Amino acid sequence: MEKVCPITKTLNYLSKKWTLLILRELHNNGTKRFNELIREMENISPRTLSKRLKELEKLELVSKKRFNETPPRVEYSLTNKGKELIKCFKHLDIWVKKFDVK
């Protein structure tokens, strides 16, 4: 059985279209409802957003909070694990700028 490098596995998830933008949106603007994310992200389909949010929930990077209201309300936010990942991106940004990576 072939072992997969954990970093490669993580990068495969993160490299999916819209994933990093969703994380950035939640980091920059805090807790968001589904329709707010749709409006802010422009051009993402509801189906794709739903799929990416489920993947991010499964990775425990995003949490989904359901409110028992009518109409139903759901909010998404970064978990502590997701916030730690954002710190890694900040270090990567510093590296890119230091070595003028284009």
Side-chain angles (χ1 to χ4, degrees), residues 25-26 29-37 40 74-77:
E25 182 65 30
L26 291 173
N29 299 304
T31 301
K32 290 280 191 173
R33 294 176 72 173
F34 186 87
N35 285 333
E36 290 175 317
L37 287 168
E40 295 296 323
V74 176
E75 293 180 343
Y76 296 90
S77 60

Side-chain angles (χ1 to χ4, degrees), residues 61-82:
L61 298 175
V62 169
S63 67
K64 178 179 182 177
K65 185 174 182 182
R66 293 175 182 89
F67 295 86
N68 191 15
E69 300 175 351
T70 303
R73 179 169 54 121
V74 176
E75 293 180 343
Y76 296 90
S77 60
L78 289 179
T79 62
N80 286 335
K81 187 176 176 180

Side-chain angles (χ1 to χ4, degrees), residues 43-91:
N43 299 319
I44 188 171
S45 71
R47 182 176 182 257
T48 300
L49 178 57
S50 179
K51 186 175 181 181
R52 292 297 174 264
L53 286 168
K54 286 177 185 175
E55 291 168 350
L56 291 168
E57 280 181 84
K58 186 176 179 181
L59 293 169
E60 299 176 348
L61 298 175
V62 169
S63 67
K64 178 179 182 177
K65 185 174 182 182
R66 293 175 182 89
F67 295 86
N68 191 15
E69 300 175 351
T70 303
R73 179 169 54 121
V74 176
E75 293 180 343
Y76 296 90
S77 60
L78 289 179
T79 62
N80 286 335
K81 187 176 176 180
K83 290 174 186 175
E84 288 293 318
L85 179 62
I86 295 296
K87 290 178 185 178
C88 295
F89 295 149
K90 289 180 181 182
H91 289 289

Side-chain angles (χ1 to χ4, degrees), residues 2-16 59 85:
E2 185 179 331
K3 289 190 178 186
V4 177
C5 170
I7 293 174
T8 300
K9 188 175 178 182
T10 302
L11 289 176
N12 284 339
Y13 280 113
L14 296 176
S15 66
K16 290 182 179 180
L59 293 169
L85 179 62

